[in-house]
Each structure stands twice: as structure tokens, then as C-alpha cells.
Amino acid sequence: NVKVGILRCGNIFGPGDLNFDRLFPGMFLSVLKNKKLKLRSSGKNIRDYLFVDDVVDAYFKLFLKTIKSNKNLHIYNIGSKDNFSVNKMCDKILKILKISHLKPIVVNNSKIEIFYQKLNFSKARKELKWNPNTKIEFAIKKTFEWYKSNFKLIQKIK
């Protein structure tokens, strides 16, 4: 009789992510080092990009739904309106940061990558009253500012 809530999320990004193999942390670290990011895919893969604040909001709404419901299991997709190829997202990040000389290098050493990932989050919108609300431009700027202000600490960790 345990109540369970599950969220299946797209690519989450935001301040504090120290996995530099992922696109956003890797890209921001590369920018701060004034180096080109090496993409582990062709860059043509399409993904949903979700800001961490929107994901936290989805988890909170799922929690409220789960404790109030008579059902024991709730499962939702959490996607976004921001569905771009990796290349397009890199271009968007660089444009927002006003950087033109650090276009990523395609290495394409990944053997297993889903080409197209677009999560239908209409059920979450309807039942949880959830929507991704953070504008991608704001999310990129806020995330980059975190990496910039923590760069010395990141250098010690990395």
C-alpha cells in the first residue's frame, strides 16, 4: 500500500551539475576555459531541455497529487517546449553568451544514442497542472552565472 510517484524527465540542466560529460556543464566549462567543447555525438540528436527549477516544481506537484490521491501509482513524462538538436542548443548557448569563436567540435564517439527524444507531457499538464515556465534564455544565463561564479572551486574538483 505504498504510494509511488515517478517522473520521466528530459535533459535537466541548471546550476550545480558537476557531471562535465553532459552538454551544459561541459559547454560552460569549455567557455570558461576558452576552449571548444568536444561533442560525443553527431550533434544532430534532438532532446527536450528542462531547467532544474521546473523539474523541482513538477516533483512538488507530483508529491501533492500522490498524497491526496486514492491511487498508489502516478507516472508522468516531464518534457519541455525547448526541443532542439544538440548543435542548435550549443548555438543558442553561444549566442546568448555572445560568443562566436567556440563552436563545438563533433567527435561522435557515442555508439548508443537515442536520435529523437520528445516527451509528451500533456498528462502532467492536465493532472498536475504543471508546465515548464522558465524561459530558456533566462535558464542559460542563470546557469552560466553559477558556473562562472564557482569556476575556481570547479577547477579544484575537475
Side-chain angles (χ1 to χ4, degrees):
N1 254 352
V2 174
K3 291 187 175 202
V4 176
I6 298 170
L7 295 182
R8 296 182 294 233
C9 299
N11 290 25
I12 303 168
F13 73 96
D17 185 351
L18 298 177
N19 183 344
F20 296 99
D21 289 333
R22 287 199 272 253
L23 178 62
F24 284 85
M27 184 67 154
F28 292 138
L29 184 61
S30 294
V31 166
L32 291 168
K33 289 181 168 184
N34 198 31
K35 293 183 177 181
K36 293 184 177 191
L37 175 69
K38 292 179 181 175
L39 294 179
R40 64 177 189 218
S41 71
S42 68
K44 296 176 184 176
N45 305 50
I46 297 168
R47 300 284 181 266
D48 276 337
Y49 295 99
L50 287 160
F51 188 56
V52 67
D53 291 2
D54 290 329
V55 176
V56 169
D57 183 48
Y59 272 106
F60 183 68
K61 289 181 177 185
L62 173 63
F63 168 74
L64 294 176
K65 173 84 172 176
T66 302
I67 62 172
K68 292 177 184 177
S69 174
N70 292 330
K71 286 175 51 181
N72 284 347
L73 180 62
H74 298 274
I75 303 173
Y76 297 94
N77 291 336
I78 302 299
S80 78
K81 301 167 195 165
D82 299 310
N83 193 252
F84 304 111
S85 71
V86 171
N87 287 330
K88 186 163 178 134
M89 182 52 76
C90 290
D91 290 345
K92 187 174 273 302
I93 291 168
L94 293 174
K95 183 177 180 183
I96 289 167
L97 299 179
K98 297 179 172 73
I99 296 169
S100 59
H101 68 285
L102 294 177
K103 192 162 178 72
I105 300 165
V106 174
V107 175
N108 200 10
N109 60 4
S110 178
K111 292 174 178 55
I112 304 172
E113 285 279 340
I114 298 168
F115 180 75
Y116 183 80
Q117 180 192 56
K118 174 68 178 153
L119 296 166
N120 179 345
F121 60 95
S122 60
K123 180 180 170 187
R125 182 183 300 138
K126 181 181 174 189
E127 294 182 14
L128 299 178
K129 308 293 187 248
W130 177 85
N131 266 305
N133 291 314
T134 309
K135 300 274 186 240
I136 192 78
E137 293 79 10
F138 172 82
I140 289 170
K141 287 176 185 175
K142 184 175 180 180
T143 304
F144 180 70
E145 285 307 313
W146 184 89
Y147 284 94
K148 194 165 123 182
S149 66
N150 290 282
F151 184 59
K152 287 182 182 175
L153 177 62
I154 292 168
Q155 289 291 86
K156 289 179 185 176
I157 294 168
K158 186 84 172 109

